[in-house]
Amino acid sequence: MCVCSCLGEDNARFILLFVVLAVYMLAGAALFQRLEADLEVRQTAEFWRVYHTFRRHHLQSTPVALQRLDELLYAYGNASSSGIINKSRRWDFPGSFHFVGTIVSTIGYGNTTPQTRAGKVAAVLYGFFGCSGGILFFNLFLERIITFLAWILRTIHVHRLKRRIRQNSLISRRSIKSSDSQKGSLPDILDDDDCNSELDRWKPSVYWVMLYLSVSCCIVACCAAAVYAPLEDWEYYDALYFCFVSFATIGFGDFVSTEKMHYPYIYWYRIANFIFLLVGCCCTYSLLNVTSIVIKQGLNYIIQKVQCGNQDMAAPHLPRRKSSLSTMYFSKRRGTRIVGRDSIKGDSSGTPRRMSGEMISMKDFFSANKVALAVMQKQLDEMAQVQKGSSIATVSHTSCKPDAVGPLAIVSEKFKSKVSKKR
């Protein structure tokens, strides 16, 4: 308990995540060993049975004949792994485009690899800039897809709010029997500029965004699997497995698309394959980053439980962490006049209180999209120095938070965790 209190919230979360991942990996190793080890042993025994049967019936037991057989099997294995037997060409233009696509998207199936020294050097240099651009593209897509989902959820929220206001107004009119002048047009309080400003600060739940992204990923994967299964002669579940491995950029390489010699409508199929991989990787990347926020909330919940168990000791050493971006976004906002289930009330100083969860703000997203990552990092550095009361010119080595920039910052700074801080 005392160790967690002295570490600080960020360090405690990092160590807790390391322990959870280590346990998760150990459990996964035990699980896959139990599931796959028996099949591996059976496949090994079957290969040696076929090998010795062939030697006994079709080959003379001479050292030269055995050496020739081993050389044949070795050459066949290399040719099969390189994809030059009964498969389409790897290094024509479509095959080369597929190869660079696996580099930029960081999938890396492993079915196509450069064999020459110049090709390997070119792959290193090309992959450095290609992966950097691909990650930047995924981050920009992440911002825009979450902004779009936030707009949808905000529209639904406004519709429900208007309907609730009209219902309440109708009930009040019937109860008090107001005069004819009061029975005119229903005042729409949502048309007020201040109210619109407050609605811009309304934040949909991270769990709704996660649900929408999950549904989108499932739809893309199911549609892609319906295309891959008949064209690649795969089972539908194998095609779904291929979609997840590819969209998550894991890329085992046991299933790879567009490898057969002949396909019907080959050009259309290559275009569809590219679109499926692009959209699937973007949606899955966004979903994984949003899911990481939910995991972070779980870690925060565990840390809060530890703090509650040792509250007197943890209070002086484990202060509540304040976000630099949140300070910039909320420092000059006015108090909220609409009080509802999802609204934010202002305090006596005029600065609105942040809600207890990490949620998306439409206004925050549109403003954040106009700022480059480098400028954002500089602002975070300066804000951290201002909060500490030190000069901006004297930069400390602890000025920036470890999760201040990057894909996690894109999501975490736009969300508020549902887990409330217990004092």
Side-chain angles (χ1 to χ4, degrees), residues 87-145:
K87 293 181 180 179
S88 61
R89 290 188 59 189
R90 299 298 177 88
W91 296 111
D92 57 355
F93 185 80
S96 300
F97 184 81
H98 184 268
F99 169 71
V100 298
T102 60
I103 293 180
V104 174
S105 62
T106 70
I107 297 177
Y109 290 118
N111 62 317
T112 304
T113 56
Q115 302 297 322
T116 62
R117 181 175 300 177
K120 294 177 180 178
V121 173
V124 172
L125 298 177
Y126 186 88
F128 176 79
F129 294 102
C131 292
S132 302
I135 292 174
L136 177 61
F137 178 81
F138 288 154
N139 288 339
L140 296 179
F141 182 87
L142 172 64
E143 290 182 353
R144 281 149 183 79
I145 191 64

Side-chain angles (χ1 to χ4, degrees), residues 77-227:
N78 289 337
S80 178
S81 61
S82 299
I84 61 177
I85 297 179
N86 297 326
K87 293 181 180 179
S88 61
R89 290 188 59 189
R90 299 298 177 88
W91 296 111
D92 57 355
F93 185 80
S96 300
F97 184 81
H98 184 268
F99 169 71
V100 298
T102 60
I103 293 180
V104 174
S105 62
T106 70
I107 297 177
Y109 290 118
N111 62 317
T112 304
T113 56
Q115 302 297 322
T116 62
R117 181 175 300 177
K120 294 177 180 178
V121 173
V124 172
L125 298 177
Y126 186 88
F128 176 79
F129 294 102
C131 292
S132 302
I135 292 174
L136 177 61
F137 178 81
F138 288 154
N139 288 339
L140 296 179
F141 182 87
L142 172 64
E143 290 182 353
R144 281 149 183 79
I145 191 64
I146 295 181
T147 303
F148 176 70
L149 292 177
W151 176 80
I152 294 177
L153 294 174
R154 179 185 180 274
T155 303
I156 297 174
H157 171 73
V158 171
H159 177 73
R160 291 178 178 176
L161 184 60
K162 287 183 178 181
R163 185 176 59 182
R164 186 163 59 248
I165 291 174
R166 289 189 177 91
Q167 290 177 353
N168 294 336
S169 300
L170 183 60
I171 294 175
S172 61
R173 286 174 181 178
R174 290 177 179 177
S175 60
I176 63 176
K177 296 180 180 179
S178 59
S179 60
D180 294 336
S181 62
Q182 295 176 339
K183 292 181 181 179
S185 61
L186 184 65
D188 192 356
I189 67 172
L190 297 179
D191 292 336
D192 187 71
D193 293 337
D194 293 336
C195 296
N196 288 332
S197 176
E198 304 306 333
L199 284 174
D200 286 337
R201 294 198 295 266
W202 176 83
K203 301 172 183 291
S205 171
V206 61
Y207 302 109
W208 281 108
V209 176
M210 183 177 175
L211 176 63
Y212 276 82
L213 286 174
S214 300
V215 172
S216 301
C217 291
C218 291
I219 292 175
V220 174
C222 291
C223 294
V227 174

Side-chain angles (χ1 to χ4, degrees), residues 129 138 149 159 186 234 269 277 284 290 353 400:
F129 294 102
F138 288 154
L149 292 177
H159 177 73
L186 184 65
W234 294 341
Y269 178 53
L277 290 178
T284 305
V290 173
R353 291 188 295 109
C400 289

